[in-house]
Amino acid sequence: MAQFTQPISRDEFHVGIVCALPSEADAVMLLFDQFWDEDGDPFGRSSGDNNSYTTGRLGKYNVVLLTLPDMGTNSAASATANLRSSYGSLRLVFLVGICGGVPKIAGDDVFLGDVVVSKAIVQYDFGRQFPGHYEVKDTLEDSLGRANKEIRGMLAALQTERMREMVQNKSAVYLKQLQSADAKAAAKKRRRSKYRYPGITEDKLYLPRYVHRHLKQCGICSEFDSTCDLAAKTSCTDLGCDDNMLVQRDIFEDDGDFSPNIFIGRIGSSNTVMKSGKIRDYNATKFDLIAFEMEGAGAWDEVPCLVVKGVCDYADSHKNNLWQNFAAATAASVMKAILDRYIVTDAVQRPAAAQVNGGNGQGGGNSTRSISGNTFGDNVRIVQGDMTWNGN
Ligand SMILES: [Zn+2]
Ligand SMILES: [Zn+2]
């Protein structure tokens, strides 16, 4: 078995993980193979960086995990800027956690706990509200830039049936590991385990026009998409949401053994929570989105990242917290399975390895280029093809 030694400096970290919520970070940490900071923080931070990091190993990679101080794109932008300044050798950053999902993607039903991976991030609130309509300033890839070539290469691989199936199978294994690690920890602390599958009967998708609201007059709730704060905090069952308004879907057999499907596409990012079935569908169609979240656009400004998020609700007014932990667990599991398939070689120290990997259709090992602007800084040189996929 390979021996892994603790890195001696921050430069030895090539993979970063950003989570918006502590429960998302907890799920990721349950999959760490080793921690490097059990006896205090050996790596420190650059001056001006107030983030706190968890460092360790996931598979063969040293990883640094950052939990954001607040939700939203702005918090994500400043914290990831600091991450980049402290960890200047990062080549791939995952944004891992939960999101609201679009219920049907390319004809396939999405279920809670499935995982979306970003092909591009669309900041759809980056524009102007006009009376009656809202104009996004630029379109999509224009406003945030495309993923860099390395990430695009990974995404292309992940879009093949074979690779996606391998990643899905592996993520199911990781999900089990995560759940059993949590169950053990929970038993020790005499708490309930957090990351269990809530069950298919709890996966309720209502028709887009059917609003989660008080049925009796409360002064705020109405059938026109307004829900008062109290109703928003009340479950569908307690509020009496009508099961006749559920979307009829082909429900798979629930043997308690859920393995997440992976969907790849454009993810909408905004500073406000999406909680309307009608507005969700409008934006999903208009911008070709598969999910909604709140940190991607901010993080993307600083580092090219791959958003890997578990669907914890359908971005409508019926959204509740029930699936958040489980969706965080499926996202963490898929992230680790993707990372397993990823090869980073150090072009500076090991040119031979870079040559070998350079031959995977990305133009050979001898072409280098500077990455600037929207990426890891002006001084990073990356050999094309030095990040590639292990397709075996
Ligand atoms: Zn109400
Ligand atoms: Zn409801």
Side-chain angles (χ1 to χ4, degrees):
M1 203 184 130
Q3 285 292 314
F4 296 95
T5 50
Q6 176 155 338
I8 48 173
S9 81
R10 297 196 297 265
D11 287 342
E12 290 175 57
F13 289 83
H14 300 311
V15 177
I17 298 168
V18 177
C19 294
L21 301 169
S23 60
E24 297 167 343
D26 284 340
V28 171
M29 281 188 269
L30 284 167
L31 289 172
F32 267 47
D33 296 295
Q34 227 169 338
F35 288 92
W36 299 135
D37 54 6
E38 276 175 337
D39 299 313
D41 175 12
F43 305 110
R45 302 170 290 198
S46 62
S47 69
D49 178 1
N50 296 318
N51 290 336
S52 61
Y53 300 108
T54 299
T55 51
R57 182 174 64 79
L58 266 179
K60 53 190 181 295
Y61 293 106
N62 295 316
V63 295
V64 51
L65 169 64
L66 163 66
T67 309
L68 298 174
D70 299 294
M71 291 183 87
T73 59
N74 297 338
S75 158
S78 60
T80 47
N82 285 329
L83 169 68
R84 188 180 64 169
S85 85
S86 284
Y87 286 85
S89 298
L90 292 183
R91 295 187 182 178
L92 175 63
V93 175
F94 289 100
L95 188 59
V96 182
I98 55 177
C99 66
V102 174
K104 214 175 195 91
I105 298 172
D108 289 326
D109 285 323
V110 175
F111 290 93
L112 300 180
D114 284 342
V115 173
V116 298
V117 176
S118 60
K119 200 168 169 177
I121 298 166
V122 179
Q123 189 173 7
Y124 64 94
D125 64 353
F126 188 66
R128 287 176 66 194
Q129 180 72 57
F130 294 99
H133 79 289
Y134 184 83
E135 194 108 316
V136 168
K137 205 168 173 195
D138 289 302
T139 45
L140 329 173
E141 281 96 344
D142 296 342
S143 68
L144 285 172
R146 285 206 298 168
N148 67 25
K149 191 164 184 173
E150 288 72 22
I151 290 180
R152 295 206 308 274
M154 286 168 43
L155 287 168
L158 196 54
Q159 282 176 91
T160 63
E161 281 281 329
R162 178 170 177 265
M163 179 66 81
R164 197 160 55 210
E165 204 173 306
M166 285 192 293
V167 169
Q168 278 178 197
N169 292 343
K170 197 66 188 283
S171 67
V173 174
Y174 286 139
L175 179 61
K176 282 220 174 76
Q177 275 177 20
L178 185 161
Q179 288 170 321
S180 85
D182 177 56
K184 268 186 212 149
K188 244 187 216 165
K189 291 175 191 157
R190 276 172 270 131
R191 64 160 171 84
R192 283 164 60 85
S193 54
K194 278 166 47 179
Y195 297 101
R196 283 182 305 193
Y197 177 56
I200 191 68
T201 51
E202 297 294 335
D203 186 342
K204 294 184 172 183
L205 171 62
Y206 289 93
L207 292 166
R209 65 172 192 280
Y210 184 65
V211 177
H212 180 86
R213 63 184 177 99
H214 285 120
L215 299 173
K216 285 188 201 139
Q217 281 289 338
C218 77
I220 298 173
C221 284
S222 80
E223 61 194 294
F224 304 109
D225 244 3
S226 48
T227 300
C228 73
D229 286 347
L230 180 61
K233 289 188 189 124
T234 310
S235 72
C236 291
T237 310
D238 290 347
L239 216 51
C241 289
D242 185 356
D243 278 0
N244 291 317
M245 297 305 234
L246 290 170
V247 176
Q248 298 302 318
R249 300 185 288 176
D250 289 334
I251 299 296
F252 53 87
E253 189 110 349
D254 179 10
D255 53 3
D257 225 16
F258 180 91
S259 94
N261 271 334
I262 298 171
F263 294 91
I264 300 166
R266 285 144 57 126
I267 296 181
S269 191
S270 140
N271 272 309
T272 49
V273 184
M274 175 62 70
K275 45 185 176 183
S276 155
K278 278 192 288 190
I279 301 174
R280 171 199 69 207
D281 288 351
Y282 171 79
N283 280 296
T285 306
K286 185 169 182 189
F287 303 116
D288 190 19
L289 305 177
I290 63 168
F292 296 89
E293 61 85 72
M294 294 176 67
E295 289 78 31
W300 187 277
D301 280 344
E302 301 300 331
V303 288
C305 53
L306 206 55
V307 178
V308 179
K309 293 209 165 182
V311 177
C312 73
D313 59 55
Y314 294 110
D316 61 11
S317 55
H318 305 276
K319 75 206 296 300
N320 61 60
N321 299 339
L322 184 66
W323 286 79
Q324 287 189 355
N325 286 332
F326 181 71
T330 58
S333 305
V334 168
M335 179 273 298
K336 188 172 181 182
I338 291 175
L339 189 58
D340 278 350
R341 289 280 154 191
Y342 177 63
I343 298 172
V344 60
T345 54
D346 191 326
V348 180
Q349 289 171 17
R350 281 182 289 163
Q355 288 283 353
V356 170
N357 287 324
N360 69 336
Q362 295 197 33
N366 60 350
S367 50
T368 59
R369 66 192 176 102
S370 270
I371 303 288
S372 63
N374 209 11
T375 61
F376 292 123
D378 291 338
N379 301 319
V380 179
R381 278 164 70 80
I382 295 178
V383 177
Q384 285 182 356
D386 69 347
M387 295 158 121
T388 177
W389 280 82
N390 178 4
N392 300 311

